[in-house]
Amino acid sequence: QVQLVESGGGSAHAGGSLRLSCVASGAIIGINDMGWYRQAPGELEREMVATITQGGHTNYEDSVKGRFTISRDDSKRTIVLQMDSLKFEDTGRYYCKAEARHAISGLLGDYWGWGTEVSVSL
């Protein structure tokens, strides 16, 4: 079984900071890309917020560039999203995603966490 567990969500005022973490566990090996995705209130789609490759290359959604920082620690199977200068529009449910190879089947697949809520007030 594969699990991605997010933590660190909560409430903050605009201009404040939050730090999200995601830990992967279970029967996976060779984690490739990892990232954070956001589902805004009332929206059905999840949009990419930030991703990081196995080599450390990062990619950010335009509205969070310069404010959010994604990092990873492969020894701990963890990614972190540091969110600074928060804006009201950052509100939503944040999901962690990892592309990884299943240790038993050998198949490459995308794994998702259950998400963590972020609420930013004006």
Side-chain angles (χ1 to χ4, degrees):
Q1 186 177 358
V2 177
Q3 280 191 314
L4 271 68
V5 179
E6 302 97 335
S7 62
S11 299
H13 291 293
S17 297
L18 287 172
R19 185 179 176 90
L20 306 184
S21 295
C22 171
V23 181
S25 63
I28 53 174
I29 57 174
I31 300 176
N32 296 335
D33 294 358
M34 300 185 78
W36 290 95
Y37 293 74
R38 175 177 62 217
Q39 185 174 14
E43 298 291 331
L44 296 177
E45 299 292 327
R46 299 175 187 178
E47 62 175 349
M48 186 276 292
V49 175
T51 60
I52 184 166
T53 67
Q54 192 176 31
H57 178 75
T58 58
N59 187 37
Y60 296 94
E61 192 268 329
D62 285 345
S63 71
V64 308
K65 286 180 181 177
R67 301 189 297 119
F68 291 9
T69 303
I70 188 171
S71 60
R72 64 189 284 169
D73 183 340
D74 289 331
S75 67
K76 298 178 181 178
R77 292 183 168 183
T78 298
I79 58 169
V80 170
L81 186 68
Q82 178 65 41
M83 308 164 65
D84 298 320
S85 302
L86 284 164
K87 300 179 179 180
F88 175 75
E89 51 265 38
D90 295 324
T91 295
R93 189 167 184 86
Y94 284 71
Y95 295 86
C96 173
K97 174 188 165 184
E99 180 190 67
R101 191 169 300 280
H102 197 277
I104 298 175
S105 70
L107 295 175
L108 191 65
D110 289 336
Y111 298 94
W112 291 87
W114 289 102
T116 184
E117 291 287 343
V118 170
S119 177
V120 183
S121 57
L122 296 172

